Amino acid sequence: MGEELKVIVFALADEQYGIEVDKVRTIERMMPITRVPKTPAFVKGVINLRGVVIPVIDLRGRFGLPETEPTESSRIIIVQVNDLEVGFIVDAANDVIDIDSDHIDSPPEVVGGIKAKYLRGVAKMDDNRLLIMLNLVEVLNKDEIIQLEQFEG
């Protein structure tokens, strides 16, 4: 048995994804997002969360999936990578599960149209579903982080 990973499961365009709980600060309902000029289309803007300005990325746009209007179940998952806090807009945040790290395989080159560099691996669930584990460091790769850090005052 490998180590147990606690993972937050979220939905994006009919796929299930996972982010390790220790990287997630909080999960919020949709809230007003202030648009910021001269940013990539998937950077939706910034939110003011309890006095902290946090950039928000639409993960659908980040992965080149068709963007949709937020729904009642849409959530903003606030993650922390290194010293950067960023919000990800997802279709729904479903639950927290434990995954045995031995059950995580390397990702294929492309999963659901998403390049492997954004993925840490694919976890096999007990019910035969696959859970796509994100590689947050790549999702927020350096060039984009530099752009995002300019927002932080």
Side-chain angles (χ1 to χ4, degrees):
M1 290 282 288
E3 61 180 305
E4 285 277 294
L5 288 177
K6 271 210 174 319
V7 173
I8 290 188
V9 178
F10 66 90
L12 205 61
D14 301 329
E15 298 284 350
Q16 300 285 310
Y17 293 84
I19 299 177
E20 295 96 323
V21 166
D22 62 4
K23 300 214 172 36
V24 175
R25 306 277 298 182
T26 171
I27 299 175
E28 303 289 333
R29 292 184 168 279
M30 290 302 293
M31 59 183 73
I33 298 174
T34 305
R35 192 85 187 105
V36 177
K38 296 191 175 76
T39 56
F42 61 81
V43 177
K44 291 299 161 203
V46 294
I47 56 174
N48 181 340
L49 185 64
R50 295 182 272 288
V52 180
V53 174
I54 299 175
V56 175
I57 291 175
D58 188 324
L59 271 190
R60 281 175 167 262
R62 178 69 181 100
F63 294 155
L65 301 169
E67 293 186 29
T68 57
E69 285 299 310
T71 65
E72 190 57 39
S73 56
S74 297
R75 293 290 179 268
I76 300 175
I77 299 179
I78 310 292
V79 298
Q80 183 152 16
V81 179
N82 304 324
D83 295 332
L84 184 70
E85 281 191 317
V86 178
F88 291 147
I89 298 174
V90 301
D91 296 350
N94 301 334
D95 48 12
V96 177
I97 59 170
D98 292 315
I99 295 179
D100 184 323
S101 59
D102 288 350
H103 292 178
I104 300 176
D105 295 335
S106 328
E109 273 309 296
V110 172
V111 176
I114 298 170
K115 293 188 188 74
K117 74 173 190 170
Y118 297 138
L119 309 178
R120 179 177 150 194
V122 177
K124 294 187 191 79
M125 313 280 282
D126 295 337
D127 55 8
N128 289 330
R129 286 183 309 162
L130 293 179
L131 184 68
I132 302 164
M133 300 293 296
L134 289 189
N135 175 346
L136 290 184
V137 175
E138 272 304 327
V139 172
L140 299 169
N141 82 30
K142 284 282 181 282
D143 301 338
E144 285 138 29
I145 288 177
I146 289 164
Q147 286 182 337
L148 293 174
E149 281 175 342
Q150 294 167 358
F151 299 142
E152 299 197 344

